Amino acid sequence: MKLIKTLLMAACLTPGMQAAAQSPATAYKSIGNGNPISPCVFCADPTAVECDGRLYVYGTNDHQQFIANGKKGDNNYGSIKSLVVFSTDDMVNWTFHGTIDVGKICGSWCVASWAPSIACRVLEDGTKQFFLYFANSGGSVGVVTANSPTGPFKSPLNRAMITGSSPGVSPCSWVFDPGVVIDENGTGWLAFGGGDPNSKGSKLQPGNARIAKLTNTMLAIDGSAKAIPAPYHFEASELNIMEGKFVYTYCTSWSDRDDWSKYGSSLNAPGTCSMCYMVSDDPLNPSSWEYKGQYLANPGTFGYSYSNNHTHLQKFAGNYYLFYHTTSLEQNMKTGASGFRSIGVNKAVVSESKQKVNTVIANNTGASACAYLNPFQLQQAETMSTAGGISYEDFTNIKKVPSYNSLGNDASSNLQVKMKAGAWTMVRNVNFGDTEVDSFMMRAKGSGTVEVRLGTLSAAAAAKLTFSSTDFEDHKVELDPSLFKGVRYVFLVFTDATNVQFDSWQFIQKESDGINTMPYQQESRRQYFDMLGRQLPAGEHHGIVVERHINADGTVTSRKRMK
């Protein structure tokens, strides 16, 4: 069987063939909007870390509870033992990397995994260490570590890291919701805590917010945790450092504010379940913390359902962004489920010198693109701005454990996108420039037809590819280069699909030396590329790579594999 298939242009297809196509599936995230970041995965409590020019975002895997509930009922969080991972380099197209199975990694001591916070430390030899802290339900804080933002993660302690008996923690109603930061000296700091007023607290000062210096290992408290006197504190700790000062963010309680005058601040009382912040240059000194006000109102204020919130303030590509969650996806799906959240992001205006966070207005529009998507690099099928009718599968488990093929089970970063007839994906701000485009390459298995549409979902096909293979193969269609110019929205619409798993795609330049048009060379029959399509040097490779093999007849096969 020839493994690269070149098909006819869309212009050559008969009207009757087009009429038989399946209509596009419904999207629960609007095509022109940036929020939520995922069109189909419920997730919440965001945190983020930058690595090698990409921003990796992690969150509570509400979708695991959604699956456990049979896609109905209330979110009670009890079945959530995994975290989701997304990444971007442009703030509008997001790659879903699957889930981190915290329950499996940590074993019997793990009750739940909520509200992650992550930090990266670079050692003298250049090795990166990632420390991902999480709420082990409301009773303790756990940590998993890795040398890559997508893992594999491990449990370095095989137990919870912080409990109610840790120095300086008691009394604390809920030992959860960690927020980590590393200062300019390389020292780690962790804030945590929450819940209703403790035995010594009040409505105005619940007394549960804590901050602790970490040891050099980042795996234990150095000394004793200290209190942060955060008014109406309830949950959602996160930390930033701006010009040597600590910025602590948190979510306020649902209680009334009739005792605000006792606090003595000239600022207005924060709204119920809103996001506020405090600043200190001496974080272990409770009296050093200064309340700076509210920067994000409850999502219910903006037309979403009222729910809790959790934010992360992140600087990326020269701008600050605020990640938060709403119930927008749940509201759009109208499944009858309740309490399932979705991560959103908007640009934030921040003065680092004054440690001032201006008010952010949550909306569906979201952040603007900070870069273009390069169509001539290998793009994963899991990269999208929005989509309709899709689901995810872990290719390492598809044959072995079919029940694991739905998100919320034992997923990993080894994903394909399962496409049915009418399913589609879309990426924004795709920059073809003035490049002469030769062809479109798609790696998939199964049988079907995919249309490449430009600009709108209802546009006529700029190219059409019919394919059939029992294994993952590279399928190719030649293009009319005059259609692929400038910056466009690109839709990949599967008008027909039977048992289709979609892995990756790439546009090929005329006379390109890219990985999909590399001429056959007898002496170099196997090459390896990273997930962005860049060829890796000869030698040992680690992590997930694209292995490309050129057969004797010049045909090409490729696969993702763990090295």
Side-chain angles (χ1 to χ4, degrees):
M1 179 186 297
K2 188 169 180 64
L3 299 180
I4 301 182
K5 305 181 183 348
T6 303
L7 282 302
L8 295 174
M9 299 281 295
C12 300
L13 298 171
T14 66
M17 290 174 66
Q18 294 182 6
Q22 177 71 38
S23 299
T26 300
Y28 299 110
K29 172 186 176 180
S30 297
I31 287 170
N33 287 338
N35 286 333
I37 66 172
S38 172
C40 56
V41 178
F42 291 121
C43 47
D45 307 322
T47 189
V49 67
E50 183 177 353
C51 180
D52 297 332
R54 290 190 72 82
L55 187 64
Y56 292 82
V57 175
Y58 307 76
T60 303
N61 187 8
D62 278 18
H63 213 93
Q64 188 171 26
Q65 187 70 57
F66 184 63
I67 297 296
N69 282 12
K71 302 183 179 182
K72 59 185 179 181
D74 296 339
N75 184 1
N76 64 13
Y77 316 111
S79 296
I80 302 175
K81 292 188 178 183
S82 59
L83 303 169
V84 297
V85 190
F86 293 86
S87 74
T88 185
D89 60 3
D90 60 18
M91 298 303 296
V92 295
N93 298 301
W94 294 88
T95 302
F96 180 51
H97 296 282
T99 61
I100 302 169
D101 191 343
V102 179
K104 183 177 180 180
I105 294 166
C106 296
S108 60
W109 67 265
C110 177
V111 178
S113 60
W114 309 332
S117 187
I118 191 167
C120 176
R121 181 171 64 182
V122 182
L123 303 182
E124 290 183 1
D125 64 359
T127 301
K128 295 183 177 69
Q129 293 181 320
F130 294 85
F131 298 86
L132 183 59
Y133 303 88
F134 63 93
N136 184 31
S137 188
S140 61
V141 171
V143 61
V144 292
T145 60
N147 295 120
S148 159
T150 56
F153 284 87
K154 64 180 182 180
S155 175
L157 300 175
N158 294 316
R159 57 174 172 77
M161 175 179 150
I162 299 175
T163 69
S165 61
S166 298
V169 173
S170 183
C172 180
S173 298
W174 299 341
V175 183
F176 81 152
D177 282 16
V180 66
V181 73
I182 297 176
D183 66 23
E184 62 275 13
N185 298 316
T187 300
W189 299 80
L190 195 73
F192 58 93
D196 295 325
N198 65 35
S199 58
K200 298 181 179 179
S202 66
K203 181 173 60 178
L204 176 61
Q205 285 289 357
N208 296 313
R210 299 287 184 273
I211 188 169
K213 182 180 178 181
L214 300 179
T215 64
N216 290 337
T217 67
M218 300 279 289
L219 302 176
I221 291 176
D222 184 0
S224 179
K226 301 296 181 182
I228 300 176
Y232 302 115
H233 174 268
F234 189 66
E235 58 184 343
S237 296
E238 276 279 61
L239 287 171
N240 288 82
I241 293 179
M242 298 180 188
E243 297 199 0
K245 292 191 176 183
F246 288 71
V247 178
Y248 171 65
T249 59
Y250 68 99
C251 187
T252 64
S253 68
W254 295 92
S255 67
D256 60 54
R257 307 300 196 236
D258 57 5
D259 55 356
W260 177 245
S261 60
K262 297 178 183 178
Y263 190 68
S265 174
S266 60
L267 298 172
N268 293 329
T272 56
C273 204
S274 63
M275 298 302 306
C276 298
Y277 72 113
M278 302 184 77
V279 173
S280 170
D281 58 5
D282 186 11
L284 296 180
N285 177 5
S287 64
S288 72
W289 287 96
E290 179 184 1
Y291 176 76
K292 303 288 281 188
Q294 175 181 303
Y295 60 89
L296 182 71
N298 187 275
T301 306
F302 308 116
Y304 305 105
S305 298
Y306 278 88
S307 69
N308 65 351
N309 217 318
H310 195 126
T311 68
H312 176 75
L313 193 63
Q314 179 70 40
K315 192 173 184 179
F316 178 69
N319 296 308
Y320 271 97
Y321 296 92
L322 186 71
F323 290 88
Y324 54 89
H325 62 240
T326 69
T327 55
S328 61
L329 190 62
E330 172 196 278
Q331 289 176 265
N332 292 340
M333 284 187 176
K334 298 179 181 178
T335 64
S338 178
F340 293 94
R341 303 158 297 175
S342 306
I343 293 174
V345 60
N346 284 77
K347 189 175 179 179
V349 178
V350 174
S351 170
E352 292 181 334
S353 61
K354 297 180 180 179
Q355 298 82 45
K356 179 175 174 57
V357 182
N358 287 274
T359 299
V360 176
I361 305 299
N363 57 41
N364 287 331
T365 303
S368 300
C370 64
Y372 293 120
L373 185 143
N374 184 351
F376 307 113
Q377 287 183 337
L378 184 70
Q379 301 291 340
Q380 297 303 307
E382 305 90 72
T383 298
M384 61 192 75
S385 175
T386 189
I390 70 164
S391 58
Y392 295 102
E393 292 186 334
D394 177 352
F395 76 78
T396 63
N397 287 324
I398 285 174
K399 294 181 179 178
K400 293 185 294 184
V401 191
S403 64
Y404 281 4
N405 292 351
S406 297
L407 176 67
N409 295 296
D410 189 17
S412 73
S413 58
N414 306 317
L415 293 179
Q416 261 78 237
V417 182
K418 185 176 182 179
M419 310 299 287
K420 62 183 182 181
W424 55 274
T425 66
M426 184 273 278
V427 285
R428 297 167 65 184
N429 287 57
V430 180
N431 189 11
F432 293 98
D434 294 325
T435 302
E436 287 290 297
V437 181
D438 176 78
S439 55
F440 172 76
M441 182 87 74
M442 178 188 71
R443 182 177 185 269
K445 65 179 292 188
S447 301
T449 299
V450 60
E451 293 186 357
V452 181
R453 302 180 186 179
L454 303 175
T456 65
L457 181 59
S458 60
K464 196 166 187 176
L465 171 63
T466 299
F467 62 95
S468 181
S469 60
T470 57
D471 204 350
F472 282 104
E473 298 177 3
D474 293 324
H475 308 279
K476 182 180 178 184
V477 61
E478 294 179 354
L479 304 176
D480 177 354
S482 67
L483 301 178
F484 295 85
K485 298 291 183 182
V487 179
R488 310 297 298 272
Y489 284 6
V490 174
F491 297 81
L492 302 179
V493 184
F494 287 72
T495 55
D496 179 50
T498 302
N499 299 322
V500 172
Q501 280 93 38
F502 177 30
D503 180 47
S504 60
W505 59 269
Q506 184 176 9
F507 286 87
I508 310 302
Q509 305 174 52
K510 285 188 179 297
E511 299 181 357
S512 169
D513 59 358
I515 66 175
N516 285 316
T517 57
M518 189 172 296
Y520 169 66
Q521 299 177 29
Q522 182 69 35
E523 67 276 12
S524 180
R525 300 183 59 172
R526 195 180 302 270
Q527 292 125 357
Y528 297 95
F529 303 84
D530 67 16
M531 300 301 285
L532 295 178
R534 298 171 297 200
Q535 186 168 356
L536 298 171
E540 190 71 20
H541 308 116
H542 299 283
I544 300 171
V545 299
V546 177
E547 180 184 83
R548 185 143 294 184
H549 184 264
I550 306 172
N551 294 328
D553 62 357
T555 60
V556 178
T557 59
S558 64
R559 61 172 178 163
K560 277 192 291 193
R561 60 174 298 189
M562 183 71 74
K563 290 283 288 179

